Amino acid sequence: DTEVTQTPKHLVMGMTNKKSLKCEQHMGHRAMYWYKQKAKKPPELMFVYSYEKLSINESVPSRFSPECPNSSLLNLHLHALQPEDSALYLCASSQGAGGYYEQYFGPGTRLTVT
Amino acid sequence: DQQVKQNSPSLSVQEGRISILNCDYTNSMFDYFLWYKKYPAEGPTFLISISSIKDKNEDGRFTVFLNKSAKHLSLHIVPSQPGDSAVYFCAASATYSGGSNYKLTFGKGTLLTVNP
């Protein structure tokens, strides 16, 4: 099983809403990532979890709050987002915490903030 | 500052011919390079990678070449097939840069269209 799953596929939320994105992998990977991708741009790293501990936060605003409940799950909690936060949010995982491990991506959640 | 550059936003080739996608980088700390393919409404899919200790890596129809002195890599697809039509991202990492060593830096992507 080389699949990373993400739910929901699409999400529309108002600026006062609270919602969560979910990501799951069952490949035994110990590093998990959140990326944000705007149209016609490359993915931009937001957070990295290594062995369930947050190891990188790329200066992401506090309205995005990641959580790693266990080694297979990664959540991204959203609160008081802005319209410019509308984007494709990608989750990825890799076998280990090192740049030489290929990252496997999920299909993404298309987020629209109204 | 764009550390990974894909200067061709798009490329169109005929089915059966060779597709060559190019990527340049500026950070000399990068020592691992990857190519990802992305279809619309899907996440990127890992294709092939190369370590800086090699100059070539081949996997089926896909070959990646690395020229360290020129800080240039290329992805060759032979023969190209219509199903290869997608956006191709070049990505790089610096495996020994301490805490950020699992950060991938992506290029902007090249849209490959393979015409039947």
Side-chain angles (χ1 to χ4, degrees), chain A residues 15 38 81-87 111-114:
Chain A
M15 288 190 284
K38 301 279 262 184
L81 294 194
Q82 305 296 311
E84 59 265 27
D85 296 322
S86 299
L111 173 67
T112 303
V113 181
T114 59

Side-chain angles (χ1 to χ4, degrees), chain A:
Chain A
D1 180 8
T2 58
E3 195 180 14
V4 176
T5 59
Q6 288 187 245
T7 54
K9 278 189 161 43
H10 300 274
L11 178 62
V12 180
M13 60 185 290
M15 288 190 284
T16 58
N17 291 158
K18 281 187 183 180
K19 296 284 184 185
S20 297
L21 309 184
K22 295 187 186 305
C23 173
E24 194 165 0
Q25 57 87 14
H26 295 288
M27 294 178 276
H29 288 178
R30 302 317 301 262
M32 295 185 78
Y33 313 77
W34 280 115
Y35 286 85
K36 173 181 175 180
Q37 186 176 22
K38 301 279 262 184
K40 298 190 190 303
K41 299 276 190 180
E44 293 178 13
L45 183 67
M46 298 174 72
F47 301 104
V48 181
Y49 272 83
S50 175
Y51 292 85
E52 299 156 53
K53 287 189 167 46
L54 182 64
S55 56
I56 293 180
N57 176 340
E58 289 286 307
S59 303
V60 179
S62 59
R63 56 186 184 268
F64 295 91
S65 174
E67 179 197 18
C68 189
N70 60 54
S71 59
S72 300
L73 291 174
L74 186 66
N75 298 322
L76 186 63
H77 303 297
L78 314 172
H79 174 56
L81 294 194
Q82 305 296 311
E84 59 265 27
D85 296 322
S86 299
L88 180 68
Y89 288 83
L90 293 162
C91 173
S93 69
S94 62
Q95 185 178 352
Y100 40 82
Y101 290 108
E102 295 84 21
Q103 293 182 21
Y104 293 84
F105 285 82
T109 293
R110 175 72 59 190
L111 173 67
T112 303
V113 181
T114 59

Side-chain angles (χ1 to χ4, degrees), chain B:
Chain B
D1 176 29
Q2 225 186 312
Q3 298 185 62
V4 177
K5 300 177 188 178
Q6 293 177 258
N7 292 321
S8 299
S10 62
L11 174 68
S12 182
V13 300
Q14 227 30 54
E15 181 178 5
R17 306 295 289 267
I18 184 171
S19 296
I20 300 177
L21 297 108
N22 294 304
C23 178
D24 298 292
Y25 62 96
T26 57
N27 187 341
S28 55
M29 295 294 290
F30 287 148
D31 57 1
Y32 195 69
F33 305 90
L34 308 92
W35 284 94
Y36 285 83
K37 176 170 78 172
K38 187 178 185 303
Y39 294 117
E42 292 184 14
T45 303
F46 168 73
L47 260 183
I48 193 169
S49 61
I50 188 166
S51 163
S52 60
I53 61 172
K54 294 186 174 182
D55 54 19
K56 177 182 174 182
N57 188 24
E58 194 170 350
D59 184 1
R61 297 186 297 115
F62 302 92
T63 303
V64 56
F65 295 91
L66 175 63
N67 182 334
K68 275 184 64 178
S69 60
K71 293 192 176 69
H72 176 83
L73 62 154
S74 60
L75 175 68
H76 292 212
I77 306 174
V78 181
S80 301
Q81 299 172 354
D84 296 329
S85 298
V87 176
Y88 288 77
F89 288 101
C90 171
S93 67
T95 58
Y96 299 107
S97 62
S100 62
N101 65 351
Y102 20 65
K103 178 177 177 176
L104 284 182
T105 300
F106 285 86
K108 289 189 173 181
T110 297
L111 174 62
L112 173 66
T113 303
V114 180
N115 301 303

